[in-house]
Structures are given as structure tokens and as C-alpha cells.
Amino acid sequence: MLAQQKRPATSLATEDCAEIDRWIARYPADQKQSAVMAALRIVQDSNGGWLTTELMDAIADYLEIPPVAVYEVATFYSMYEHKPVGKHKVCVCTNISCQLRGSDEIVDHFKQKLGVGLGETTPDNQFTLKEVECLGACAGAPVIQIGRQYHEHLTPEKIDEILATLATS
Ligand code: FES
């Protein structure tokens, strides 16, 4: 009989567990899995903006759900990262409303200013440029998200101002 395979034992940071516990408390006691999206965000934030398989396994252990239930969520939503990202993650919406309002020009301007393509990080690890689906702010198209902040009605000139501000932060 084969010995049962053991997953790597990565534990979550104490402060992350405390924050996850606050989310778990919002749901019925037998519905801990409802906190999976919050747990992924919390752990991603404290790991410098990205998730490892070991961390996702640790979340599964903590929520007492199968690892695949965590992987499914973490790979479906674009806000979860599976490789290191820059200090500032620039998410450009290229969905229909933003596309009709010039997201191609926005993407091109970021590419030119940052010197990287979509899905790439600048050599100084300051910026990652990412294409995302609708950010739910279509009335402000074209829209980008950097960190938790949305920037709407973008123009190349506004992008230059945003990048100048971030470069000094
Ligand atoms: S299509 Fe860009 S925010 Fe909705």
C-alpha cells in the first residue's frame, strides 16, 4: 500500500490567520469556504502580491477544504497572481466599454512609457502591466486599477501624471 502523500507544510502568518478568522466569522460555522476569496487576497497581499501553490494549500488546510477548491478560485479571477509582480500592478481594462473608449491607446501608452508588454514587469520591479476584464466601472471608461485605486476617463496625459506620482511614492 502506498503511503499517503503529504503536502508541503507551509503555515500562514499569525496576523493573516487573525484577519481570515474575521471573515470566517461572517458566515455560518459550516461555511468556512465562503472566506476563500478574502483569504486569497489577505495571503497574497502579505506575500508581496502573489500566491504560491504552498500558500494556496495552506489556505485550503486552514479553511478545511480541498486544495482544488482554492486553485479554482485563484486561477479564475484575474486579481490573483501566480508569479511575482512589481510594486505597482497596473490593470488595464480592455473589455467592450473601455475598448470603445480607447483602451488600445491606453495600453499602447503604458507599453511605451514602461517599456514592457502586457503580463510583464519592469526590470526595476516597480510596475507590472496587466490586461483585465471589466472592472465594473464602465461609465468611467477607459478605466485602470492600480492597487486598490481606480482611475477613470483616462488619457495619455493622465497616465503620465499617474506614473509621475507613483514614481515618487
Ligand atoms: S468595460 Fe472597462 S470597466 Fe467595464
Side-chain angles (χ1 to χ4, degrees), residues 15-51:
E15 53 275 20
D16 289 352
C17 292
E19 200 176 342
I20 294 168
D21 285 346
R22 286 195 283 277
W23 280 91
I24 290 172
R26 297 179 182 203
Y27 304 106
D30 62 346
Q31 298 293 322
K32 285 171 84 170
Q33 74 270 19
S34 300
V36 66
M37 291 188 72
L40 285 164
R41 177 188 55 76
I42 292 161
V43 172
Q44 175 168 279
D45 284 352
S46 74
N47 190 51
W50 68 293
L51 295 159

Side-chain angles (χ1 to χ4, degrees), residues 65-154:
I65 56 177
V68 69
V70 178
Y71 305 159
E72 283 171 351
V73 175
T75 55
F76 181 79
Y77 293 100
S78 63
M79 67 270 214
Y80 303 120
E81 303 296 337
H82 302 279
K83 62 182 185 183
V85 293
K87 179 179 175 189
H88 306 291
K89 186 167 70 173
V90 179
C91 298
V92 184
C93 174
T94 56
N95 214 304
I96 188 68
S97 298
C98 288
Q99 189 183 51
L100 291 171
R101 299 283 297 165
S103 63
D104 286 354
E105 184 187 9
I106 299 303
V107 168
D108 286 345
H109 196 72
F110 272 115
K111 282 181 174 173
Q112 185 243 320
K113 294 296 287 192
L114 298 177
V116 294
L118 291 170
E120 294 179 352
T121 298
T122 55
D124 62 1
N125 288 321
Q126 287 297 297
F127 295 95
T128 295
L129 183 60
K130 190 171 175 179
E131 180 178 35
V132 296
E133 297 297 332
C134 179
L135 289 166
C138 311
V143 180
I144 63 166
Q145 181 182 12
I146 302 177
R148 302 211 173 146
Q149 175 136 26
Y150 278 27
H151 301 272
E152 303 181 348
H153 304 294
L154 276 179

Side-chain angles (χ1 to χ4, degrees), residues 105-106 109 154-164:
E105 184 187 9
I106 299 303
H109 196 72
L154 276 179
T155 62
E157 295 71 31
K158 279 190 181 177
I159 291 171
D160 292 347
E161 287 170 21
I162 292 165
L163 290 178

